[in-house]
Amino acid sequence: MDISIVIVNYKSKGLTLNCVKSIAEADFGHLEHEIIVIDNHSGDQLGEILAWQHPGVIFIQSLVNHGMGGGNNIGIKRARGKYIVVMNPDTLAFKDTFIK
């Protein structure tokens, strides 16, 4: 695994879905990647939507809100990539963001 992308969601379902969509549409060339989304106890059913729209995304439901740093740490512990990218839900990846 080359790149692990970690996104923490807290009551920003629409933004998070846009972020994940932009990553899914980006060109990774030959790089292997994974997307990890941590939900910081939002209660917005993001996991169900991701399972349907982006089944390859690793979704972690936190039972408490650990804050942005704590949520990122949960994702980073789960990450398998050589490199870790932390993205906020309100960011987007462009087509060539991840190409070497």
Side-chain angles (χ1 to χ4, degrees):
M1 184 68 55
D2 296 302
I3 302 172
S4 296
I5 302 163
V6 177
I7 306 163
V8 176
N9 175 69
Y10 179 70
K11 299 190 184 225
S12 55
K13 173 176 60 179
L15 293 172
T16 301
L17 290 170
N18 285 336
C19 181
V20 169
K21 182 179 182 227
S22 75
I23 296 165
E25 294 173 351
D27 183 359
F28 284 83
H30 67 280
L31 299 173
E32 276 189 75
H33 69 283
E34 64 184 355
I35 303 170
I36 304 168
V37 174
I38 300 86
D39 183 75
N40 248 346
H41 197 60
S42 310
D44 60 7
Q45 288 75 45
L46 177 61
E48 296 164 14
I49 297 167
L50 283 173
W52 179 68
Q53 291 183 2
H54 301 281
V57 169
I58 299 162
F59 180 77
I60 301 171
Q61 178 65 62
S62 179
L63 299 177
V64 297
N65 186 337
H66 294 281
M68 185 62 75
N72 281 320
N73 286 337
I74 291 169
I76 290 167
K77 286 178 187 173
R78 170 59 178 79
R80 299 177 298 140
K82 179 177 180 182
Y83 301 102
I84 297 175
V85 176
V86 174
M87 290 182 70
N88 289 341
D90 62 348
T91 59
L92 299 174
F94 295 102
K95 293 282 184 195
D96 60 353
T97 299
F98 299 102
I99 290 190
K100 280 185 172 180

